[in-house]
Coordinates of all heavy atoms in Angstrom, one line a residue:
A304 N 130.4 -68.6 77.9 CA 130.7 -69.8 77.1 C 132.2 -70.1 77.2 O 132.5 -71.3 77.3 CB 130.3 -69.6 75.6
L329 N 128.5 -60.1 83.3 CA 128.3 -61.5 83.4 C 127.8 -61.9 84.9 O 126.9 -62.6 85.1 CB 129.6 -62.3 83.1 CG 129.6 -63.7 83.5 CD1 128.7 -64.5 82.6 CD2 131.0 -64.3 83.3
P336 N 129.7 -71.9 89.2 CA 130.1 -72.3 90.6 C 131.6 -72.4 90.8 O 132.0 -72.5 92.0 CB 129.4 -73.6 90.8 CG 129.1 -74.2 89.4 CD 128.9 -73.0 88.6
P412 N 141.7 -37.7 91.7 CA 142.8 -38.3 91.0 C 142.2 -39.2 89.9 O 141.0 -39.7 90.0 CB 143.5 -39.1 92.0 CG 142.5 -39.4 93.0 CD 141.5 -38.2 93.1
F453 N 145.3 -60.6 96.0 CA 143.9 -60.7 96.1 C 143.4 -62.1 95.7 O 142.5 -62.7 96.3 CB 143.2 -59.7 95.2 CG 141.7 -59.6 95.4 CD1 141.2 -58.9 96.5 CD2 140.8 -60.3 94.6 CE1 139.8 -58.9 96.7 CE2 139.5 -60.3 94.9 CZ 138.9 -59.6 95.9

Side-chain angles (χ1 to χ4, degrees):
L329 169 68
F453 189 84

